Amino acid sequence: MTLLLWCPVFSTMHSLLRRFSAATLFLVLCLQLGINKAEDSTIIRKSLKFFLDVPKSAAAGEEITVKLGLETEYYECLVVKAYLVSPIPMDGSFSYNQTRCLCNDYGITFYWDFTVHQTVKFAIVVEIIKERNICPNDVAVVPISGDRFHTYRTVFVS
């Protein structure tokens, strides 16, 4: 008698297990097809994107402007210090450091104006630094790697 009562229960459990397996299989299939975006961690955000404007040539005694635009793909803000380095002493704000807060919702632009008297080769250096009282509420990040960038430019004087 016990066997007769259990057969319908066993049959119902077997049916539930079959349905559960189909649902599990469907879920795994959806995850494999890419419906779940949580596994897509291959996108690496850039800490800095550069937009540089430097004249290639100038007349002797002419004042030139070096313009550096920066943007970030990070969600957090960064404290950015930018400066120019040259072996030749320059007039104007050439050696002045500029430090600003860079956030992803707006870019920043640095300007340097100086007079050139001879052909000059210089480096534009950008560092992501840890410094207080630059970003609102001192909330900013410094990446573990990729916190210093530089490029060289030459302005030919005729």
Side-chain angles (χ1 to χ4, degrees):
M1 186 114 194
T2 309
L3 184 60
L4 293 176
L5 290 176
W6 184 19
C7 287
V9 172
F10 180 72
S11 176
T12 305
M13 287 188 67
H14 183 66
S15 175
L16 285 174
L17 285 174
R18 192 178 304 155
R19 288 184 188 149
F20 178 72
S21 297
T24 303
L25 181 62
F26 179 72
L27 179 61
V28 169
L29 182 64
C30 288
L31 292 174
Q32 291 297 322
L33 291 176
I35 294 174
N36 184 4
K37 300 286 185 189
E39 292 183 10
D40 190 15
S41 61
T42 59
I43 299 172
I44 299 174
R45 291 181 182 82
K46 293 182 181 180
S47 58
L48 294 177
K49 292 169 51 177
F50 299 86
F51 307 96
L52 185 60
D53 184 17
V54 179
K56 293 189 183 287
S57 63
E62 181 181 350
E63 183 176 274
I64 65 166
T65 299
V66 174
K67 179 180 171 183
L68 171 65
L70 296 176
E71 292 180 358
T72 184
E73 293 179 348
Y74 282 12
Y75 296 129
E76 302 86 358
C77 295
L78 309 165
V79 177
V80 178
K81 179 170 83 170
Y83 53 94
L84 305 179
V85 178
S86 173
I88 300 172
M90 302 300 293
D91 298 332
S93 64
F94 188 83
S95 61
Y96 296 168
N97 292 331
Q98 298 185 41
T99 305
R100 311 245 322 256
C101 183
L102 174 63
C103 300
N104 69 349
D105 53 348
Y106 62 92
I108 57 175
T109 305
F110 295 99
Y111 296 94
W112 293 274
D113 297 321
F114 55 94
T115 304
V116 291
H117 300 287
Q118 60 185 342
T119 297
V120 61
K121 183 176 182 176
F122 58 93
I124 301 156
V125 182
V126 177
E127 295 180 55
I128 302 172
I129 61 173
K130 181 179 178 179
E131 188 169 324
R132 295 188 179 275
N133 301 320
I134 304 295
C135 287
N137 301 319
D138 287 333
V139 177
V141 298
V142 177
I144 292 172
S145 63
D147 58 345
R148 185 171 190 183
F149 304 88
H150 67 277
T151 185
Y152 297 97
R153 291 294 188 267
T154 302
V155 177
F156 296 97
V157 174
S158 54

